[in-house]
Amino acid sequence: MEEQRKRNIVIIGGGIIGCTTAYFLTRHPKFNPNLHTITLLEATAIAAGASGKAGGLLALWAYPQSLVPLSYRLHKKLAAEHNGAERWGYRRVGCGTITATVTRDDLLARAKSNLNPSSSPPRQKKNGNGTNTNGQSNDPLPIQSTASGPSAEGENGSDWQKLPKQDEDAATLLKPSVLPHDLDWFDSTVIQHYQEMGQPGTTETAQVHPFHFTTSIAALAQEKGVHVRIGAKVTRLKYNSDKTEVVGLEYEDRKTGETHNMGDVTDLVISAGPWTGKLLPRTKIEGLRAHSVVFEADVTPYAVFTDINLPADFVPEHRARKGQKRKHKRNVDPEVYARPFGEVYACGEPDTLITLPETADSVQCDEDQCDDLASYMGTVSPVLGAAPIKVKQACYLPRHMRFGTERDPMIGQSYVKGLWIASGHTCWGIQNGPGTGCLMAEMIFDGEAKSADIKDLEPKKYKV
């Protein structure tokens, strides 16, 4: 039997990739707490970035396909082992795409219905003063017309930029279908088409609540001996004299301002999401900002990709108040996911307007973009139009860019001995977290990935 050596493993990043790597290292058959020390450094908090602000969709048609099947299976296994259904909301969901055309008459009818609740019973709880339980009014948003307020014809707005959720291969899996009878939180009168993702009669999608999943996996890793240091911002990596081997690092304690040195590091895993590129610029991993809104609403479990055609004179009410025209042309494409624990999550287009800040707690959220998103969803879903908004937020997706093209994530050892990279998962980090963590543990303890062939994802492929 091969003799085990002492290892001092340090993981940078408390998102889903760092946490699953820590978890699977402690579950590996060769892990020996008497020989192996595992430390996770996180600058802000566990799941402070995209891992806590993602949608949580799991899909067999995600990408890259070399990683997806393993990770999808592991999600199911983890949920069964740790009561994931209750702990982090693991469940199967329906998934499809809708095409909707919303006319001015539709919006006027919606407003009339909202003014006369007896004709359309509200789905949200109210208190005695006629407002939602969070104090927001249920009065309908005013509809702007070309005669009474600012408007924008299609050519004056910008095209909606889709998130990279569906690639061309995924789009081929869409199958024609009628609107499911239990997808009752959409206004069926404005829906022209619904296409189910996957083969008819089967569901190839599931979900977790990202924040609960990430924090739960971190806690499970801690129970097995992983040392988690919060507020530890890594400022410098240390190498040997010819920079062929990593030997340590420096980090700042953000609470005290003190600098700490960690030496004798045998394995350093960079899983810092979009901040990976700040620590290792040659990885070409950067951040792409995306906004999202979480509604308080308990609806049937579906993930829905939308294509909404709006009236030419439609202006979101929050922009009309400011005398602004709307931002987009007629078609917008929000994604919306019913989530466990009485939530509905909707996300909008990405942008590169604000560069990646130093830490996740410094991410700037543009509330106008969030309000746009809520307004668009309200045109096709009366339930969401009346639902209280629980949170408006933004995060940065970690994407691996080469020559202006988005590439697959990097997973594996770099050309520097002891330096490992696991980052660049774009919007599929939650889906591919377990698979990445499992394979990282295998590569560190076994010297190779055994559960899947991910040679195409190795950092060495890009000479990193």
Side-chain angles (χ1 to χ4, degrees):
M1 184 176 179
E2 181 185 355
E3 183 179 352
Q4 289 290 298
R5 63 184 177 91
K6 286 189 176 182
R7 303 186 89 123
N8 182 15
I9 305 169
V10 178
I11 301 167
I12 301 177
I16 188 58
I17 306 302
C19 292
T20 52
T21 298
Y23 172 92
F24 280 101
L25 282 168
T26 64
R27 268 65 180 181
H28 193 280
K30 293 181 180 177
F31 172 66
N32 182 344
N34 295 319
L35 290 175
H36 306 136
T37 301
I38 304 173
T39 305
L40 188 150
L41 304 177
E42 165 54 43
T44 304
I46 299 298
S51 295
K53 298 177 174 66
L57 181 65
L58 315 177
L60 282 171
W61 43 264
Y63 55 85
Q65 271 299 305
S66 58
L67 181 60
V68 166
L70 168 65
S71 204
Y72 194 86
R73 290 195 304 272
L74 287 174
H75 267 290
K76 185 176 182 179
K77 182 179 179 181
L78 288 169
E81 184 176 350
H82 299 295
N83 192 22
E86 291 187 15
R87 192 164 183 174
W88 56 76
Y90 176 85
R91 65 181 181 180
R92 301 294 293 272
V93 294
C95 182
T97 296
I98 66 164
T99 302
T101 298
V102 180
T103 67
R104 179 167 175 74
D105 288 342
D106 293 324
L107 296 176
L108 290 171
R110 178 81 49 77
K112 183 177 180 181
S113 175
N114 288 342
L115 286 170
N116 182 17
S118 62
S119 65
S120 180
R123 293 282 294 270
Q124 298 297 314
K125 293 180 180 179
K126 293 184 179 181
N127 56 25
N129 62 6
T131 61
N132 290 318
T133 52
N134 71 343
Q136 292 183 342
S137 172
N138 271 303
D139 289 340
L141 295 178
I143 301 172
Q144 293 298 130
S145 70
T146 53
S148 61
S151 63
E153 292 297 334
E155 63 270 15
N156 292 333
S158 61
D159 286 322
W160 179 277
Q161 302 299 313
K162 291 186 178 181
L163 285 162
K165 210 70 166 191
Q166 295 186 72
D167 59 11
E168 291 183 3
D169 291 336
T172 65
L173 295 175
L174 291 169
K175 305 297 180 182
S177 172
V178 297
L179 190 67
H181 68 89
D182 57 342
L183 189 50
D184 57 353
W185 41 286
F186 277 86
D187 180 357
S188 61
T189 65
V190 300
I191 308 299
Q192 276 70 55
H193 304 285
Y194 177 85
Q195 292 178 295
E196 183 182 42
M197 183 67 74
Q199 299 299 320
T202 66
T203 302
E204 298 293 339
T205 45
Q207 71 176 167
V208 296
H209 190 293
F211 179 81
H212 294 300
F213 179 59
T214 305
T215 54
S216 293
I217 292 297
L220 290 166
Q222 281 185 284
E223 290 173 9
K224 291 291 186 178
V226 173
H227 306 285
V228 177
R229 300 184 187 177
I230 301 299
K233 180 187 174 184
V234 176
T235 54
R236 180 187 171 199
L237 307 183
K238 294 185 175 181
Y239 305 92
N240 62 358
S241 58
D242 58 2
K243 295 189 176 182
T244 59
E245 183 177 359
V246 68
V247 296
L249 58 85
E250 289 182 358
Y251 73 86
E252 174 193 349
D253 184 325
R254 296 183 65 203
K255 185 175 182 179
T256 66
E258 297 177 356
T259 297
H260 296 267
N261 287 283
M262 294 187 70
D264 300 320
V265 174
T266 59
D267 301 274
L268 180 60
V269 181
I270 312 293
S271 54
W275 288 273
T276 298
K278 286 185 175 290
L279 292 170
L280 291 174
R282 64 183 180 274
T283 61
K284 305 296 183 183
I285 292 174
E286 60 185 46
L288 181 67
R289 189 174 67 158
H291 287 80
S292 56
V293 172
V294 180
F295 300 92
E296 293 181 17
D298 190 6
V299 300
T300 50
Y302 277 90
V304 181
F305 300 93
T306 72
D307 180 2
I308 306 169
N309 183 273
L310 296 168
D313 61 351
F314 174 81
V315 178
E317 192 269 343
H318 66 282
R319 292 194 180 275
R321 286 199 309 267
K322 299 177 182 180
Q324 298 176 353
K325 296 181 177 182
R326 75 180 187 208
K327 178 182 177 183
H328 301 100
K329 295 182 180 180
R330 292 192 181 190
N331 279 75
V332 294
D333 305 275
E335 301 171 11
V336 59
Y337 311 125
R339 292 211 303 206
F341 316 125
E343 292 183 0
V344 176
Y345 171 97
C347 57
E349 63 180 349
D351 71 65
T352 56
L353 300 176
I354 306 293
T355 57
L356 183 72
E358 287 298 312
T359 52
D361 53 356
S362 298
V363 171
Q364 296 182 40
C365 175
D366 182 344
E367 285 209 21
D368 281 341
Q369 291 202 47
C370 292
D371 290 337
D372 283 339
L373 184 56
S375 178
Y376 297 149
M377 289 311 308
T379 66
V380 293
S381 172
V383 173
L384 298 185
I389 293 178
K390 186 174 183 179
V391 65
K392 302 173 185 177
Q393 59 193 7
C395 63
Y396 284 80
L397 307 176
R399 60 176 183 168
H400 174 205
M401 300 295 292
R402 295 278 165 175
F403 306 109
T405 302
E406 186 175 294
R407 306 290 183 176
D408 286 333
M410 283 187 183
I411 303 173
Q413 188 169 21
S414 72
Y415 275 112
V416 177
K417 183 180 178 181
L419 182 61
W420 305 85
I421 301 168
S423 188
H425 292 69
T426 61
C427 53
W428 288 116
I430 299 297
Q431 149 66 38
N432 290 326
T436 301
C438 173
L439 294 167
M440 285 300 304
E442 291 175 352
M443 286 185 282
I444 290 173
F445 280 131
D446 299 326
E448 62 178 334
K450 294 184 174 182
S451 297
D453 182 358
I454 56 165
K455 290 185 179 65
D456 57 329
L457 307 182
E458 290 182 354
K460 292 180 181 179
K461 175 182 176 180
Y462 300 98
K463 304 187 185 307
V464 175

